């Protein structure tokens, strides 16, 4: 029998009422960047979150964007459309909470007038939703110009426009909002819960954090930055246990693994990175890999491979023989399945959260870790959902270089040309506990 | 974490919670493994002056007073330098009013000369109720007022605050925009955070934003006695014994009698804590982080068996019980790291009952009672007793409640012998040590 449905998450879920995060700020202040990033983080830690971008509703309502005149405060026709779009978005927020079990909705729009914010507040109050405002304030012209270049030129609004025209139009668009912009007021709005972010994070004002999730959100927002950098993710070099198809354990590198470590050193030197930090787990195979780099590295116990409990150091064949039912249950829900006396991917995400938080604070970092760990980290950066996470491909001897770009992450994959076993096991077709061994072992990769 | 040591500088008028924050922050940082020490300039002043007469000492026109106060601040800074540069400290908390830009400028210069980072923590509060409450809680009991009656003390202290008010220059958004600081307003309703430079400052800000001073109590207890407890075996995931179940039902009655407002109940994800909570008949939350320390290869063994199969490991553990990690298991140090989010959430919450395990409870208790890493693994956390912790003044009142249900004793005292690394030939001697301190109810102690 399966107690799968009853297995609780590793951490209590502290959300009771649904929460609306409401963005506030002039165009090109990073609202959408923050909305998407925050949503990605919350989903990764297990809080169902969705972004509602009112601009998208507007693009659906007004098929073709002509120019900034649409946004003029005296354009009544447009005002009506914009108000209708905001209402449609709010309606979808409500459906997300009541029908789709959402917990956090990020309402991404300028919301620059008190009037608009009042509508949202009363909407939320009527339905028992908590509201937390995130206002981004910035008057640095360089940052704003950079912003416009990075994300606005690629927007559907400007896709057929030449760059200078687009820039000119967008600047006029910002001016349309400026006259009526009322920042959250420290006196009048003292009962509201909010964070004001000044100048891309050099200063913050935080008011009335109500609960756990708002506290986590504030902590996250205060740790992210926009300084260009790259994060390199790699597994340890091939290990002795890898060669024999055994999972877990704490083995050292095979000779090919050692070759990889040297190749990694050469590769990283070739990248000529300023101030590279190197992180490993506490397990021999990552430490030995880092040693070859000849630079300082930091060990994190939190980066240790997933604990396979009673299955540690077994081959898949041995697991099938000794624990056929467990093996099937794992295939049924690989994300939430916890090895007896071991961990689940879900547990892994929870223990990796401080690593992610510190990765956000840092700049250039190389993380030398393990298959399951790397899948979790990759899922965070590439916004992969829980059901895809345990099947992400993280082969040995391959470095992934992640570079934040626009609203997402560019990924470059570098296989360093040293052969290694394949450790990737796809989900078999038959996950029934009554399946026969061949069906269970069908997708096991080759080993000695 | 950080390379440069960090100097945390408190700022604020008297009775704004600076010492409360200093002590609490210091306790938290030490618990998570960052060597931290506080330097309270008022204490230096008390040592210098011996007897406190009245608020007149603090008058801004009292030249003699100003000279002494400046000297005390310098002496404290000197000790800060000693702690951070010589003694290996990582964070020093400089607890004084530091209300003028001039004084803060002196400190910044001092820090620059010594290669310390500076982070200011300013507490601003104008709520007269909060200030009065503060004075009653901590000032009346201060050495300054120990021989003064309550009314006189309050009056004198209010005049003392006035002495600082006229020259108080709060951290300014514009003038001080290059400084790193957090300004805490109205006991945490609002915060202004400027230029957080690194990891430790980010953690400090997060901590300060999660603590509160609303009165509440935290109840700590272990699960009821388990079947493995009776057998003298460590770890595992067994259910409650009959006595354990009796404890759970008495716990239920105790909780009901305490009549606690909005009590939250937390357990681990192990059977024995869950079964205990089930008896209470109220909703509870499960934390995997509250699971007992993983004894790795020694899971479910008796101490005699560990001695037999892993005598060297057994001895190593006794040498440094805090940092020792069971093979394929955890150390107390690992436990503290995984309990940090639990502590953070305990700070946010109000009334909570935590039903956990021996090693876990020792870690949590060490946090609340400011016990060192050395003492932590030997704290007494017996089965079937409940500890009620109530924050009070600068610390924590502890009340131990015995619910009158017998249980085995699972406490193993620190062995008396010194910290010598045992060569293999001394195995026999280790046998003696190993068995002497096993204290299971049916066994007699060996002499």
């Amino acid at each position: 029998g399966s107690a799968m449905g009853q297995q609780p998450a590793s951490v209590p879920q502290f959300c009771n009422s649904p929460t609306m995060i409401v963005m506030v700020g002039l165009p090109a202040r990073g609202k959408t960047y923050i909305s998407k990033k925050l949503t990605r983080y919350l989903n990764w830690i297990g809080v169902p979150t969705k972004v509602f971008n009112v601009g998208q509703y507007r693009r659906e309502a007004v098929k073709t964007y002509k120019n900034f005149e649409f946004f003029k405060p005296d354009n009544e026709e447009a005002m009506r459309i914009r108000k209708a779009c905001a209402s449609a978005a709010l309606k979808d927020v409500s459906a997300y909470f009541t029908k789709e079990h959402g917990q956090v909705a990020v309402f991404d729009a300028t919301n620059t007038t008190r009037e608009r914010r009042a509508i949202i507040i009363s909407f939320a109050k009527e339905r028992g939703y908590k509201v937390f405002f995130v206002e981004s304030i910035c008057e640095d012209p360089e940052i704003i110009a950079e912003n416009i270049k990075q994300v606005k030129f690629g927007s559907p609004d400007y896709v057929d426009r030449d760059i200078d025209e687009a820039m000119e139009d967008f600047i006029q668009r910002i001016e349309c909002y400026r006259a009526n912009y009322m920042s959250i007021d420290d006196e009048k709005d003292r009962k509201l819960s909010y964070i004001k972010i000044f100048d891309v994070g050099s200063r913050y004002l935080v008011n009335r954090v109500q609960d756990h999730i708002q506290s986590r959100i504030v902590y996250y927002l205060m740790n992210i930055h926009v300084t260009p950098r790259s994060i390199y993710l790699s597994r340890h070099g091939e290990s002795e246990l890898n060669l024999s198809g055994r999972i877990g354990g704490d083995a050292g590198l095979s000779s090919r693994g050692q070759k990889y470590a040297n190749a990694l050193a050469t590769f990283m030197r070739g990248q000529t990175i300023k101030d590279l930090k190197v992180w490993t787990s506490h397990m021999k195979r990552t430490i030995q890999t880092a040693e070859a780099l000849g630079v300082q590295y930091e060990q994190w116990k939190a980066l240790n491979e997933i604990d396979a409990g009673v299955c540690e150091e077994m081959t898949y064949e041995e697991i099938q023989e000794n624990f056929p039912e467990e093996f099937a249950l794992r295939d049924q829900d690989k994300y939430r399945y916890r090895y007896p006396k071991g961990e689940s991917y879900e547990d892994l995400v929870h223990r990796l959260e401080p690593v992610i938080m510190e990765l956000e604070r840092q700049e250039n970092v190389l993380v030398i870790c393990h298959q399951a760990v790397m899948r979790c980290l990759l899922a965070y950066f590439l916004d992969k959902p829980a059901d895809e996470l345990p099947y992400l491909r993280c082969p040995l001897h391959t470095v992934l270089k992640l570079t934040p770009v626009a609203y997402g992450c560019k990924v470059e994959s570098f296989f360093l040309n040293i052969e290694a076993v394949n450790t990737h096991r796809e989900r078999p077709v038959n996950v029934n506990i009554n399946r026969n061994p061949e069906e269970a072992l069908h997708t096991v990769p080759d080993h000695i | 974490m950080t390379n440069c040591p960090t100097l945390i500088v408190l700022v604020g008028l008297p009775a704004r919670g600076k010492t409360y924050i200093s002590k609490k922050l210091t306790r938290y940082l030490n618990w998570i493994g960052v060597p931290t020490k506080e330097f309270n300039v008022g204490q230096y002043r008390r040592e210098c002056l011996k007897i406190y007469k009245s608020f007149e000492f603090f008058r801004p026109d009292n030249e003699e007073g100003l000279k002494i106060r400046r000297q005390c601040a310098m002496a404290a800074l000197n000790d800060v330098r000693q702690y951070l540069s010589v003694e290996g400290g990582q964070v020093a908390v400089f607890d004084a009013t530091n209300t003028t830009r001039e004084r803060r400028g002196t400190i910044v210069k001092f820090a620059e000369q010594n290669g310390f980072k500076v982070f200011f923590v300013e507490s601003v509060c104008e709520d007269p109720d909060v200030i009065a409450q503060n004075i009653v809680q901590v000032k009346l009991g201060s050495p300054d007022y120990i021989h003064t009656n309550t009314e006189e003390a309050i009056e004198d202290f209010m005049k003392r605050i006035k002495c600082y008010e006229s020259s108080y220059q709060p951290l300014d958004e514009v003038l001080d925009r290059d400084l790193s600081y957090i300004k805490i307003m109205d006991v945490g309703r609002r915060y202004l955070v400027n230029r957080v430079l690194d990891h430790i400052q980010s953690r400090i800000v997060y901590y300060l934003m999660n603590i509160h001073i609303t009165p509440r109590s935290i109840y700590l207890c272990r699960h009821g006695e388990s079947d493995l407890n009776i057998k003298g075996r460590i770890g595992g995931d067994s259910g409650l014994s009959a006595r354990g179940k009796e404890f759970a039902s008495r716990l239920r009655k105790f909780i009901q009698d305490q009549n606690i407002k909005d009590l939250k109940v937390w357990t681990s994800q192990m059977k024995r804590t869950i079964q205990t909570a089930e008896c209470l008949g109220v909703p509870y939350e499960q934390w995997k982080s509250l699971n007992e320390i993983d004894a790795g290869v020694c899971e479910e063994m008796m101490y005699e068996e560990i001695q037999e199969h892993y005598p060297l490991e057994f001895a190593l553990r006794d040498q440094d019980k805090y940092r020792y990690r069971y093979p394929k298991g955890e150390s107390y140090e690992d436990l503290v790291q995984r309990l940090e989010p639990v502590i953070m959430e305990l700070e946010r919450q109000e009334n909570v009952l935590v039903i956990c395990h021996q090693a876990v409870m020792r870690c949590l208790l060490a946090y609340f009672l400011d016990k060192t890493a050395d003492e932590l693994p030997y704290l007494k956390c017996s089965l079937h007793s409940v500890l009620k912790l109530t924050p009070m003044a600068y610390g924590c009142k502890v009340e131990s409640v015995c619910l009158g249900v017998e249980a085995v004793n699972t406490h193993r005292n620190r062995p008396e012998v010194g910290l010598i690394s045992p060569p293999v030939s001394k195995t026999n001697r280790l046998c003696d040590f190993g068995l002497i301190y096993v204290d299971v109810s049916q066994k007699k102690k060996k002499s």
Side-chain angles (χ1 to χ4, degrees):
Chain A
S2 165
M4 286 311 285
Q6 287 127 38
Q7 185 176 285
S10 6
V11 193
Q13 303 308 290
F14 285 106
C15 292
N16 304 317
S17 325
T19 302
M20 281 187 69
I21 310 270
V22 181
M23 303 303 299
V24 180
L26 292 173
R29 264 56 178 178
K31 296 185 302 297
T32 300
Y33 175 82
I34 291 169
S35 299
K36 288 178 182 262
K37 205 169 159 78
L38 186 57
T39 298
R40 175 162 60 88
Y41 168 70
L42 291 173
N43 278 312
W44 186 75
I45 62 170
V47 180
T49 305
K50 190 171 174 186
V51 182
F52 296 82
N53 177 294
V54 177
Q56 238 146 269
Y57 285 74
R58 188 260 305 158
R59 275 184 276 274
E60 244 139 85
V62 181
K63 300 298 171 196
T64 323
Y65 172 74
K66 276 214 221 91
N67 60 35
F68 76 92
E69 308 246 342
F70 181 83
F71 292 98
K72 285 177 73 163
D74 55 5
N75 184 340
E76 294 208 11
E77 169 77 19
M79 274 300 188
R80 244 183 325 114
I81 296 175
R82 291 159 71 193
K83 222 171 257 163
C85 289
S87 299
L90 285 179
K91 203 154 152 261
D92 286 351
V93 164
S94 190
Y96 178 62
F97 286 151
T98 50
K99 299 192 194 122
E100 296 174 50
H101 307 295
Q103 280 207 273
V104 177
V106 182
F107 194 70
D108 179 16
T110 49
N111 298 316
T112 40
T113 61
R114 299 182 65 75
E115 185 207 354
R116 172 59 57 85
R117 296 196 291 267
I119 292 172
I120 298 169
I121 292 168
S122 84
F123 166 87
K125 191 160 178 204
E126 273 162 39
R127 292 161 181 75
Y129 306 154
K130 289 185 177 170
V131 181
F132 188 77
F133 291 94
V134 177
E135 182 171 16
S136 174
I137 295 170
C138 180
E139 286 313 319
D140 183 334
E142 273 178 41
I143 295 179
I144 296 165
E146 183 60 41
N147 230 330
I148 298 177
K149 270 187 219 130
Q150 276 222 10
V151 295
K152 302 301 178 186
F153 293 157
S155 146
D157 291 346
Y158 295 107
V159 85
D160 295 312
R161 223 66 64 97
D162 103 297
I163 290 185
D164 292 320
E165 256 182 60
M167 178 68 95
E168 178 62 42
D169 184 88
F170 199 82
I171 294 194
Q172 298 276 63
R173 198 154 127 179
I174 298 176
E175 290 312 304
C176 292
Y177 285 88
R178 203 187 283 279
N180 296 324
Y181 179 21
M182 281 174 279
S183 183
I184 296 177
D185 188 277
D186 294 335
E187 202 23 62
K188 291 189 211 147
D189 295 318
R190 67 185 174 283
K191 291 255 159 71
L192 299 182
S193 295
Y194 62 85
I195 179 170
K196 277 195 200 184
I197 305 171
F198 297 91
D199 300 318
V200 204
S202 79
R203 189 161 90 247
Y204 306 90
L205 182 66
V206 180
N207 198 62
R208 286 190 188 264
V209 169
Q210 293 171 43
D211 60 18
H212 176 90
I213 196 68
Q214 291 180 16
S215 163
R216 294 285 288 279
I217 288 165
V218 164
Y219 184 42
Y220 183 72
L221 292 177
M222 288 176 50
N223 280 314
I224 62 182
H225 67 76
V226 294
T227 310
R229 50 81 171 252
S230 290
I231 294 168
Y232 297 80
L233 298 182
S234 163
R235 289 169 67 187
H236 52 82
E238 181 190 70
S239 75
E240 296 291 349
L241 285 178
N242 285 145
L243 278 175
S244 41
R246 295 183 176 281
I247 66 171
D250 192 15
L253 299 180
S254 68
S255 62
R256 298 195 297 196
Q258 188 57 59
K259 285 207 184 80
Y260 173 71
N262 298 329
L264 183 62
T266 308
F267 173 77
M268 293 310 296
R269 275 195 292 270
Q271 292 281 299
T272 48
I273 305 142
K274 157 181 113 96
D275 292 331
L276 178 74
K277 298 267 162 75
V278 178
W279 296 354
T280 70
S281 68
H282 277 205
M283 298 178 136
K284 293 200 192 83
R285 51 201 190 273
T286 58
I287 294 171
Q288 284 177 14
T289 309
E291 279 289 319
L293 303 178
V295 298
Q296 274 198 332
Y297 57 92
E298 217 181 296
Q299 299 178 22
W300 291 70
K301 187 171 192 280
L303 285 172
N304 279 5
E305 183 55 317
I306 194 171
D307 184 354
V310 298
C311 297
E312 275 287 316
E313 299 196 44
M314 287 189 171
T315 60
Y316 288 117
E317 291 84 355
E318 287 166 359
I319 300 176
Q320 169 57 34
E321 191 181 326
N322 294 294
F323 303 101
E325 189 173 316
E326 292 295 328
F327 201 37
L329 288 174
R330 186 161 202 254
D331 284 337
Q332 286 178 21
D333 189 356
K334 197 174 178 192
Y335 184 72
R336 264 162 286 274
Y337 171 84
R338 194 183 278 166
Y339 282 107
K341 303 197 174 171
E343 294 176 301
S344 63
Y345 272 93
E346 189 175 31
D347 295 330
L348 206 51
V349 160
H350 173 61
R351 77 162 152 88
L352 285 169
E353 202 263 349
V355 177
I356 286 294
M357 197 64 87
E358 190 54 25
L359 273 172
E360 286 295 346
R361 290 198 54 78
Q362 292 287 343
E363 292 183 20
N364 295 313
V365 186
L366 162 64
V367 183
I368 303 173
C369 54
H370 305 265
Q371 183 168 249
V373 168
M374 188 161 158
R375 284 170 171 157
C376 292
L377 299 178
L378 198 58
Y380 167 75
F381 288 108
L382 302 186
D383 202 17
K384 299 294 183 188
D387 58 323
E388 288 180 53
L389 186 161
Y391 297 101
L392 293 175
R393 266 187 189 281
C394 296
L396 287 166
H397 298 188
T398 306
V399 187
L400 291 186
K401 177 178 180 179
L402 306 168
T403 311
V405 104
Y407 294 137
C409 221
K410 175 171 88 171
V411 194
E412 297 164 84
S413 173
F414 300 93
F415 171 62
L416 298 191
N417 248 317
I418 314 274
E419 288 300 308
V421 295
N422 172 22
T423 59
H424 187 93
R425 184 175 162 267
E426 286 292 357
R427 187 176 199 262
V429 173
N430 191 344
V431 299
N432 198 289
I433 55 174
N434 297 315
R435 65 192 177 176
N436 59 49
E438 293 81 55
E439 293 174 297
L441 297 173
H442 183 61
T443 55
V444 172
D446 295 328
H447 58 86
I448 298 174
Chain B
M1 282 193 201
T2 36
N3 309 314
C4 301
T6 302
L7 178 57
I8 306 223
V9 181
L10 273 297
V11 180
L13 293 173
R16 263 58 177 179
K18 295 186 301 299
T19 301
Y20 175 81
I21 290 169
S22 299
K23 287 182 182 272
K24 206 169 160 75
L25 186 56
T26 299
R27 176 163 57 89
Y28 167 71
L29 290 173
N30 278 312
W31 187 75
I32 62 170
V34 180
T36 305
K37 191 170 173 190
E38 21 140 17
F39 298 83
N40 178 294
V41 177
Q43 235 145 271
Y44 285 74
R45 187 260 305 158
R46 274 184 277 274
E47 242 138 85
C48 193
L49 263 201
K50 305 297 174 208
I51 304 177
Y52 172 75
K53 279 212 217 90
S54 79
F55 77 94
E56 308 254 350
F57 178 80
F58 292 98
R59 287 177 58 156
D61 57 1
N62 181 344
E63 297 261 353
E64 177 71 21
L66 282 171
K67 203 165 44 112
I68 294 175
R69 289 157 70 194
R70 211 168 283 143
Q71 278 167 1
C72 289
M74 289 300 125
L77 284 180
N78 247 323
D79 286 351
V80 163
R81 186 203 339 257
Q82 177 75 10
Y83 178 66
L84 294 181
S85 302
V86 179
E87 289 170 24
Q90 268 213 276
V91 177
V93 182
F94 192 68
D95 178 16
T97 49
N98 299 315
T99 39
T100 60
R101 190 153 285 119
E102 187 210 352
R103 171 58 57 86
R104 297 194 292 268
T106 306
I107 297 170
V108 170
K109 211 175 282 152
F110 161 85
E112 257 162 41
Q113 284 165 356
N114 288 287
F116 306 151
K117 286 184 178 169
V118 182
F119 188 76
F120 291 95
V121 177
E122 180 173 27
S123 174
V124 177
C125 179
E126 287 315 318
D127 184 335
D129 289 332
V130 174
I131 296 166
Q133 179 67 238
N134 228 331
I135 297 176
V136 166
Q137 277 220 5
V138 294
K139 301 301 179 186
L140 299 183
S142 143
D144 291 346
Y145 294 109
I146 216 154
H147 300 299
T148 320
N149 82 53
T150 300
E151 268 137 36
E152 272 178 44
I154 294 182
E155 208 191 304
D156 183 271
F157 199 83
M158 297 302 262
K159 294 202 180 120
R160 200 154 125 178
I161 298 178
K162 276 242 165 307
C163 293
Y164 287 88
E165 263 168 19
S166 54
S167 58
Y168 181 21
Q169 293 160 301
L171 287 171
D172 185 87
E173 268 181 46
V174 180
L175 294 171
D176 297 310
R177 65 183 170 283
D178 288 331
L179 299 181
S180 296
Y181 65 84
I182 178 170
K183 198 191 268 259
I184 305 171
M185 294 168 268
D186 297 317
V187 205
R189 193 146 294 161
R190 191 179 7 231
Y191 306 90
L192 185 64
V193 180
N194 199 63
R195 293 196 186 270
V196 170
L197 293 179
D198 60 18
H199 177 91
I200 195 70
Q201 291 182 15
S202 162
R203 292 285 288 276
I204 288 165
V205 164
Y206 185 43
Y207 182 71
L208 292 177
M209 288 177 51
N210 280 313
I211 61 180
H212 68 77
I213 55 169
T214 309
R216 48 82 170 253
S217 290
I218 294 168
Y219 298 79
L220 298 182
C221 73
R222 289 167 68 184
H223 51 83
E225 182 191 69
S226 73
D227 290 324
L228 283 178
N229 285 143
I230 292 181
K231 299 193 178 115
R233 294 181 177 284
I234 66 172
D237 192 13
S238 58
L240 298 181
S241 66
R243 297 197 296 197
K245 291 187 185 130
E246 176 61 29
F247 167 73
S249 91
R250 294 215 190 166
L251 184 62
R252 177 204 182 111
K253 179 152 196 319
F254 171 74
I255 295 297
Q256 283 167 352
D257 293 344
Q258 286 276 298
N259 211 356
I260 307 148
K261 166 175 109 92
D262 292 331
L263 178 73
K264 298 268 163 72
V265 179
W266 296 354
T267 69
S268 69
Q269 288 187 349
M270 297 180 135
K271 293 200 192 81
R272 51 201 189 277
T273 57
I274 294 170
Q275 284 177 14
T276 309
E278 278 290 320
C279 287
L280 303 181
V282 297
Y284 57 93
E285 307 256 26
Q286 297 180 23
W287 291 74
K288 185 170 194 278
S289 316
L290 284 172
N291 280 5
E292 182 58 317
I293 193 171
D294 184 354
V297 298
C298 298
E299 275 286 316
E300 299 195 44
M301 286 190 172
M302 300 196 299
Y303 286 119
E304 290 96 325
E305 287 168 353
I306 302 177
Q307 175 54 55
E308 189 185 329
H309 298 286
Y310 302 99
L312 188 58
E313 293 295 328
F314 202 42
L316 288 173
R317 185 160 203 255
D318 283 342
Q319 282 183 24
D320 189 357
K321 197 172 176 190
Y322 183 72
R323 265 161 285 273
Y324 172 83
R325 197 183 276 164
Y326 281 108
K328 303 197 174 173
E330 294 178 299
S331 62
Y332 272 93
E333 192 173 28
D334 295 330
L335 207 51
V336 161
Q337 248 209 19
R338 76 163 153 89
L339 286 170
E340 202 264 350
V342 177
I343 286 293
M344 196 63 87
E345 190 54 27
L346 273 172
E347 285 295 345
R348 291 199 52 81
Q349 293 286 345
E350 292 183 22
N351 294 314
V352 186
L353 163 65
V354 184
I355 303 172
C356 55
H357 305 266
Q358 183 168 249
V360 169
M361 188 164 158
R362 284 171 170 155
C363 292
L364 298 178
L365 198 58
Y367 168 74
F368 288 109
L369 302 187
D370 202 17
K371 298 295 181 187
T372 60
D374 190 62
E375 298 170 270
L376 186 161
Y378 297 101
L379 293 174
K380 233 194 204 301
C381 293
S382 318
L383 284 166
H384 298 186
S385 71
V386 183
L387 291 184
K388 177 179 177 180
L389 305 169
T390 311
M392 184 131 293
Y394 293 137
C396 220
K397 178 170 86 173
V398 194
E399 296 164 82
S400 176
V401 183
C402 180
L403 296 187
V405 182
E406 289 291 308
V408 295
N409 173 18
T410 58
H411 187 88
R412 211 179 137 258
N413 276 317
R414 187 199 300 266
E416 274 165 25
V417 183
L419 314 166
I420 317 157
S421 177
V424 177
S425 61
K426 295 232 174 96
T427 315
N428 287 336
R429 214 172 118 224
L430 283 177
C431 256
D432 288 342
F433 297 149
L435 291 176
I436 279 181
Y437 297 99
V438 169
D439 194 17
V440 176
S441 59
Q442 280 86 17
K443 288 203 171 199
K444 293 216 173 107
K445 278 191 188 178
K446 285 191 180 181
S447 52

